[in-house]
């Protein structure tokens, strides 16, 4: 009796496997026919089915899947079906999470729709996946020109300014400030000054996704990624102990300029600092 049961299970599994292979084969043929008829939406659906049923075929159907995805995305874009377009790219990136071509294409759609910060994130990921991918590099530099203000480069090359900040931070840390929060960190330069000055705990927040990811790279290039905690958050949204474990003894920032006055932003920043700073005893 046990032998009969085992034989039944083997036959059942064999039948299931045969059925799977047949369905995959028919779906691949249907996808090809749909492509010939330029029915890209249906072809895309067939390829999704194939890749979910037979993940071992990812490499062999990758090129055809990419072609189908991009053609279907063009149609969805022309029909203003934005959510459907993004859903397709999300599905594709679940199947091919480290595909630089899909990441770059997603970024191009986002950029055209005005989502420049989000587009920069996908271009940046594509470049990290393949540093020799010329299209992704060109796209990333193009969107960076939109997102990174020209004054930022001038500021970073202002030696006198940087030395003044460094000296002020060193004085504060040497006077007993052991935890530091850098608000609007940008490239992370002030956070790195604080760490080099000897602050045991350094936290930094940045709202712009592009600048946040740039700061991650800069901090890592300076071998401080384990010593500076970077947060992709507004300072007003930081919660203790959810995001940082303690109130800090020093806040550094360069977010205040004349453009802030009259908009209530200064008052908001002061409120955030009061919430996050240690209160004097």
């Amino acid at each position: 009796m046990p032998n009969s049961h085992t034989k039944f299970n083997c036959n059942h599994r064999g039948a299931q496997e045969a059925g799977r292979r047949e369905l995959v084969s028919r779906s691949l043929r249907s996808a090809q026919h749909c492509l010939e008829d330029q029915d890209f939406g249906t072809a895309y659906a067939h390829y999704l089915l194939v890749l979910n049923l037979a993940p071992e075929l990812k490499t062999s159907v990758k090129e055809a899947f990419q072609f189908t995805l991009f053609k279907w995305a063009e149609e969805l874009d022309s029909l203003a079906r934005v959510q459907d377009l993004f859903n397709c790219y999300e599905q594709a990136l679940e199947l091919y999470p480290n595909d630089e071509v899909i990441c770059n294409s997603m970024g191009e759609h986002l950029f055209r729709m005005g989502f420049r910060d989000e587009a920069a994130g996908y271009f940046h990921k594509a470049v990290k996946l393949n540093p020799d991918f010329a299209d992704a590099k060109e796209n990333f530099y193009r969107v960076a020109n939109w997102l990174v203000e020209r004054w930022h480069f001038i500021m970073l090359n202002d030696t006198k300014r940087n030395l003044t900040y460094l000296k002020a931070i060193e004085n504060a840390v040497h006077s007993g400030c052991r935890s530091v929060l850098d608000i609007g960190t940008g490239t992370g330069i002030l956070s790195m000054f604080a760490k080099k000055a000897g602050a045991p705990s350094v936290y930094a927040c940045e709202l712009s996704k592009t600048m946040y990811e740039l700061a991650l790279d800069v901090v890592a290039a300076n071998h401080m990624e384990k010593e500076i905690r970077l947060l992709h958050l507004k300072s007003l949204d930081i919660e203790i102990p959810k995001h940082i474990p303690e109130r800090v003894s020093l806040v550094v920032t360069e977010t205040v300029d004349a453009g802030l006055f009259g908009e209530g932003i200064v008052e908001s920043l002061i409120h955030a600092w009061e919430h996050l700073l240690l209160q004097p005893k």
Side-chain angles (χ1 to χ4, degrees):
M1 193 70 171
N3 290 337
S4 175
H5 181 69
T6 301
K7 184 176 180 181
F8 171 79
N9 284 338
C10 289
N11 290 337
H12 181 64
R13 284 195 297 269
Q16 282 185 321
E17 178 59 22
R20 182 186 74 92
R21 287 198 301 267
E22 176 61 22
L23 182 55
V24 168
S25 179
R26 280 192 285 125
S27 293
L28 282 172
R29 290 195 298 270
S30 296
Q32 188 58 45
H33 291 151
C34 289
L35 286 178
E36 291 170 1
D37 295 336
Q38 297 190 345
D39 182 359
F40 300 114
T42 307
Y44 175 76
H46 281 299
Y47 276 122
L48 276 185
L49 178 61
V50 167
L51 289 167
N52 279 286
L53 286 175
E56 67 274 12
L57 297 180
K58 279 186 179 181
T59 301
S60 60
V61 304
K62 179 178 177 180
E63 188 174 338
F65 175 75
Q66 286 179 341
F67 174 80
T68 306
L69 168 67
F70 300 155
K71 286 294 186 180
W72 179 225
E74 287 175 8
E75 282 193 25
L76 292 173
D77 193 11
S78 68
L79 296 169
R81 291 170 57 182
V82 176
Q83 191 57 56
D84 288 336
L85 186 153
F86 288 154
N87 287 343
C88 285
Y89 273 98
E90 286 175 4
Q91 291 166 340
L93 287 169
E94 284 181 10
L95 292 165
Y96 297 97
N98 295 318
D99 188 286
E100 70 273 18
V101 179
I102 295 176
C103 286
N104 182 64
S105 181
M106 175 67 157
E108 288 176 337
H109 281 287
L110 286 164
F111 185 78
R112 284 197 294 270
M113 293 176 187
F115 301 106
R116 292 170 183 154
D117 208 32
E118 293 82 355
Y122 281 97
F123 294 144
H124 184 250
K125 181 178 179 180
V127 173
K128 291 190 78 172
L129 287 167
N130 182 1
D132 296 323
F133 189 6
D135 287 350
K137 286 198 289 188
E138 182 180 343
N139 284 332
F140 181 68
Y141 295 145
R142 179 159 55 105
V143 76
N145 284 331
W146 285 91
L147 294 171
V148 182
E149 304 274 357
R150 290 295 176 189
W151 57 261
H152 206 91
F153 299 104
I154 298 171
M155 179 184 72
L156 287 172
N157 287 284
D158 186 343
T159 304
K160 183 177 179 181
R161 164 202 169 274
N162 293 338
L163 289 175
T164 301
Y165 262 100
L166 176 60
K167 187 64 176 176
I169 291 170
E170 284 178 344
N171 289 340
V173 171
H174 295 163
S175 297
C177 293
R178 298 182 57 79
S179 53
V180 180
L181 173 64
D182 179 7
I183 294 179
T185 191
T187 59
I189 188 171
L190 299 186
S191 297
M192 291 187 291
F193 283 171
K195 198 65 203 177
K196 287 182 178 179
S201 302
V202 179
Y203 314 102
C205 64
E206 174 57 55
L207 179 59
S208 164
K209 183 173 177 58
T210 302
M211 294 307 298
Y212 165 73
E213 291 184 346
L214 178 60
L216 288 174
D217 286 346
V218 172
V219 168
N222 285 273
H223 310 293
M224 294 186 183
E225 66 272 24
K226 294 181 180 179
E227 302 176 73
I228 298 173
R229 181 183 295 185
L230 288 161
L231 304 167
H232 181 213
L233 285 172
K234 290 194 296 185
S235 58
L236 288 169
D237 292 336
I238 296 176
E239 298 178 18
I240 301 169
K242 180 179 179 181
H243 300 115
I244 60 176
E246 59 187 331
R247 284 177 177 265
V248 297
S249 50
L250 176 67
V251 166
V252 295
T253 188
E254 196 170 17
T255 55
V256 181
D257 66 16
L260 294 175
F261 291 99
E263 298 182 12
I265 300 178
V266 172
E267 289 79 5
S268 296
L269 283 172
I270 291 171
H271 175 75
W273 299 346
E274 288 175 344
H275 167 64
L276 295 167
L277 274 169
L278 285 168
Q279 300 302 312
K281 295 180 181 179

